Amino acid sequence: MEKQIKKQTLEGQRVIVLGASSGLGLATAIAAAEEGAKVVIVSGNQQRINEALKLLPADSEGYAVDLSHEENIRSFFEGAGSFDHLIYTAGENLTLQEISKTNIADAQRFFNVRYWGAFAAVKYAAPHIRKGGSINLTGGNAGQRPNAGWGVASSICMAMEGFTRAMAVELAPVRVNLVAPGVVRTNLWNGMPEADRENIFTTLGNALLVKRVGVSEDIAQTFVYMMKQEFATGQVLTVDGGGVLI
């Protein structure tokens, strides 16, 4: 008699997405809701949260939390209750500079949300994650294949990879994984002049093996997979259109 294969699903599970009012986070919240999950979205701007909630089922929740402050993150999770999966996609607009032009104090601040915010989220979320649940963090392929000007971004990406592996060991059996996107067309690039931004998208898209840069939905499907994949932990899943190969 053949062994019955368990169907992985998010039906009825509670998913908290930090950094979810736009971009990767919002796309992931939408994708999780389409899989039957009850979604909680968190970001720093209440107006954008309200707009994002219009794209989600009526039972979705949204909260404005400044993720650059540990105390805010602690307070949020103290009141959040139990849940199944944490997604962390929060980050500031990207700034790329060669090291000779980089102000170190500015570079340190770049870690506040992308690294320390994730660190605090894991610390305060972990006790509330139900059996079989997961933590899913965001890095990037810049650590594996950096270009000039990516010193800070590359450093954060590799720090997140090390943190992911350490937490997979420390928090087991909670699964902890990281999604490492390549260049994705999101509003995180909006701090760059539009002409420069479009030039990057066009140039890199043409160079990639799939002949385009990513979109938020590409990465959202990856997060959904990692929530449903119950036998993976401590892993880095690179989704970059072949970027590390060129």
Side-chain angles (χ1 to χ4, degrees), residues 15-87:
V15 177
I16 296 181
V17 187
L18 302 187
S21 62
S22 63
L24 306 184
L26 178 55
T28 300
I30 292 171
E34 289 174 348
E35 293 274 340
K38 182 175 180 180
V39 174
V40 180
I41 61 173
V42 179
S43 188
N45 185 298
Q46 185 65 59
Q47 182 177 351
R48 290 172 65 181
I49 284 287
N50 294 342
E51 290 299 315
L53 285 172
K54 296 176 182 178
L55 303 174
L56 293 165
D59 64 350
S60 302
E61 303 171 51
Y63 301 93
V65 178
D66 184 348
L67 299 174
S68 65
H69 295 286
E70 177 186 356
E71 179 63 23
N72 296 343
I73 296 171
R74 182 189 66 78
S75 296
F76 169 74
F77 282 108
E78 283 182 348
S82 60
F83 61 99
D84 298 283
H85 304 284
L86 173 69
I87 306 289

Side-chain angles (χ1 to χ4, degrees), residues 97 99 101-111 152:
Q97 286 185 326
I99 193 168
K101 301 174 183 177
T102 300
N103 179 284
I104 292 178
D106 290 340
Q108 290 170 337
R109 284 190 289 272
F110 198 62
F111 278 75
V152 175

Side-chain angles (χ1 to χ4, degrees), residues 37-232:
K38 182 175 180 180
V39 174
V40 180
I41 61 173
V42 179
S43 188
N45 185 298
Q46 185 65 59
Q47 182 177 351
R48 290 172 65 181
I49 284 287
N50 294 342
E51 290 299 315
L53 285 172
K54 296 176 182 178
L55 303 174
L56 293 165
D59 64 350
S60 302
E61 303 171 51
Y63 301 93
V65 178
D66 184 348
L67 299 174
S68 65
H69 295 286
E70 177 186 356
E71 179 63 23
N72 296 343
I73 296 171
R74 182 189 66 78
S75 296
F76 169 74
F77 282 108
E78 283 182 348
S82 60
F83 61 99
D84 298 283
H85 304 284
L86 173 69
I87 306 289
Y88 193 94
T89 64
E92 315 89 335
N93 286 350
L94 294 169
T95 301
L96 306 178
Q97 286 185 326
E98 294 183 359
I99 193 168
S100 62
K101 301 174 183 177
T102 300
N103 179 284
I104 292 178
D106 290 340
Q108 290 170 337
R109 284 190 289 272
F110 198 62
F111 278 75
N112 284 348
V113 173
R114 289 181 177 270
Y115 180 79
W116 289 115
F119 193 103
V122 171
K123 176 179 179 178
Y124 296 114
H128 305 288
I129 295 177
R130 297 172 181 143
K131 181 179 179 181
S134 70
I135 295 170
N136 303 274
L137 304 174
T138 306
N141 72 347
Q144 305 170 59
R145 193 76 159 82
N147 292 310
W150 286 76
V152 175
S154 178
S155 298
I156 294 172
C157 290
M158 296 312 291
M160 289 301 297
E161 290 194 16
F163 178 57
T164 296
R165 295 185 183 101
M167 291 301 98
V169 174
E170 184 172 323
L171 300 178
V174 172
R175 295 177 291 109
V176 185
N177 293 295
L178 180 138
V179 175
V183 176
V184 180
R185 186 185 288 271
T186 71
N187 61 357
L188 286 180
W189 293 86
N190 288 354
M192 183 180 295
E194 182 179 0
D196 294 345
R197 184 170 68 243
E198 290 302 320
N199 182 60
I200 286 178
F201 291 156
T202 300
T203 301
L204 291 182
N206 289 337
L208 289 173
L209 302 182
V210 298
K211 300 304 178 185
R212 67 174 177 88
V213 297
V215 294
S216 297
E217 290 73 16
D218 295 322
I219 311 307
Q221 290 303 315
T222 310
F223 278 116
V224 168
Y225 167 75
M226 294 310 287
M227 286 187 280
K228 294 167 66 174
Q229 170 52 267
E230 295 183 353
F231 200 56

